[in-house]
């Protein structure tokens, strides 16, 4: 059960442009956005940052979602894991690859470049950061400095979201909940505090 109730979309018609942009990117308007809407300047600033960070850039959108999934899993945020893996599939990621994301070190579904990026994401998701100089060296074997900045921006972006959603116990919306329940259950994913009730 959420610790702070999100506002209703209908009560905030003045922010409909922002809501439509967020919804277009994720396929759903997240409850996290509607909770942030209690402080609209925070919601709008974060929506702009998130749009820039998660847009297809010199790093592909699917890899960005995989990075977001791994950093969210390492941080323990089931809400963000559900959203990021669901969006990754919408952007073209193979479901088998998403199910194997925690086996990226050994799974043949991942390239060496993807392994390097996901290794950094996994290390950055814990506190204190477990990313080593060697992890960054391997990352730079596959990505230039501008791409590394883009990858770390994804990780940092989800540092905010992971802490927001786990602290607020944001209720997971139906479509990412259904998707994660069907596709991530075998990986140990559980909705936990992000369910409709606190049971």
């Amino acid at each position: 059960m959420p610790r702070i109730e999100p506002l209703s979309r209908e009560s905030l018609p003045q922010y409909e442009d922002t809501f439509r942009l967020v919804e277009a990117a994720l396929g759903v308007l997240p409850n996290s956005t509607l909770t942030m809407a209690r402080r609209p300047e925070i919601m709008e600033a974060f929506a702009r940052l998130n749009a820039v960070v998660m847009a297809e850039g010199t790093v592909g959108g699917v890899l960005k979602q995989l990075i977001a999934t791994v950093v969210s899993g390492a941080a323990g945020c089931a809400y963000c894991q559900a959203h990021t893996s669901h969006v990754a599939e919408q952007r073209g990621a193979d479901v088998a690859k998403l199910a194997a994301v925690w086996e990226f070190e050994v799974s043949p579904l991942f390239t060496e470049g993807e392994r390097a990026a996901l290794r950094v994401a996994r290390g950055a998701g814990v506190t204190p950061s477990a990313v080593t100089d060697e992890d960054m060296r391997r990352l730079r074997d596959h990505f230039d400095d501008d791409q590394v900045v883009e990858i770390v921006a994804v990780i940092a972006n989800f540092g905010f979201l992971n802490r927001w959603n786990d602290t607020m116990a944001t209720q997971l919306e139906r479509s990412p909940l259904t998707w994660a329940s069907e596709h991530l259950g075998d990986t140990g994913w559980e909705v936990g505090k992000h369910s409709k009730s606190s049971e």
Side-chain angles (χ1 to χ4, degrees):
M1 179 159 38
R3 292 172 176 151
I4 300 286
E5 285 293 328
L7 299 174
S8 72
R9 182 177 190 161
E10 296 71 29
S11 70
L12 300 163
Q14 68 272 38
Y15 302 115
E16 191 55 37
D17 288 346
T18 299
F19 294 158
R20 277 197 292 268
L21 288 172
V22 172
E23 189 172 40
L26 300 179
V28 65
L29 180 61
N31 286 320
S32 57
T33 300
L34 293 169
T35 306
M36 284 182 213
R38 290 180 176 277
R39 291 294 306 274
E41 64 278 16
I42 295 172
M43 175 197 69
E44 292 194 307
F46 183 77
R48 286 192 303 273
L49 175 66
N50 188 65
V52 170
V53 169
M54 297 309 292
E56 185 105 16
T58 59
V59 177
V62 169
L63 179 55
K64 285 185 174 185
Q65 293 298 324
L66 291 171
I67 290 165
T69 296
V70 168
V71 74
S72 297
C77 183
Y79 181 92
C80 292
Q81 280 182 277
H83 269 279
T84 56
S85 56
H86 188 212
V87 172
E89 187 204 27
Q90 292 170 342
R91 291 188 177 182
D94 183 80
V95 174
K97 191 170 192 173
L98 290 166
V101 75
W102 289 105
E103 300 163 10
F104 70 83
E105 293 282 14
V106 296
S107 171
L109 299 174
F110 296 88
T111 67
E112 287 303 316
E114 289 170 332
R115 286 189 183 101
L118 297 178
R119 193 176 298 122
V120 169
R122 181 183 60 202
V126 297
T127 303
S129 175
V131 176
T132 66
D133 289 343
E134 177 63 13
D135 293 337
M136 292 300 286
R137 187 196 63 73
R138 288 184 180 183
L139 185 65
R140 292 178 76 197
D141 285 344
H142 302 280
F143 300 95
D144 65 30
D145 287 354
D146 292 350
Q147 291 172 312
V148 169
V149 166
E150 206 168 323
I151 287 166
V152 175
V154 172
I155 292 166
N157 188 56
F158 276 85
F160 178 93
L161 283 171
N162 296 159
R163 281 159 181 78
W164 179 275
N165 290 305
D166 257 7
T167 302
M168 293 293 199
T170 308
Q171 182 182 331
L172 193 54
E173 305 79 20
R174 179 175 296 158
S175 60
L177 172 59
T178 300
W179 192 93
S181 298
E182 290 175 0
H183 299 287
L184 301 182
D186 290 344
T187 67
W189 182 89
E190 294 179 355
V191 66
K193 69 177 86 171
H194 303 289
S195 65
K196 190 173 227 178
S197 68
S198 56
E199 297 174 353

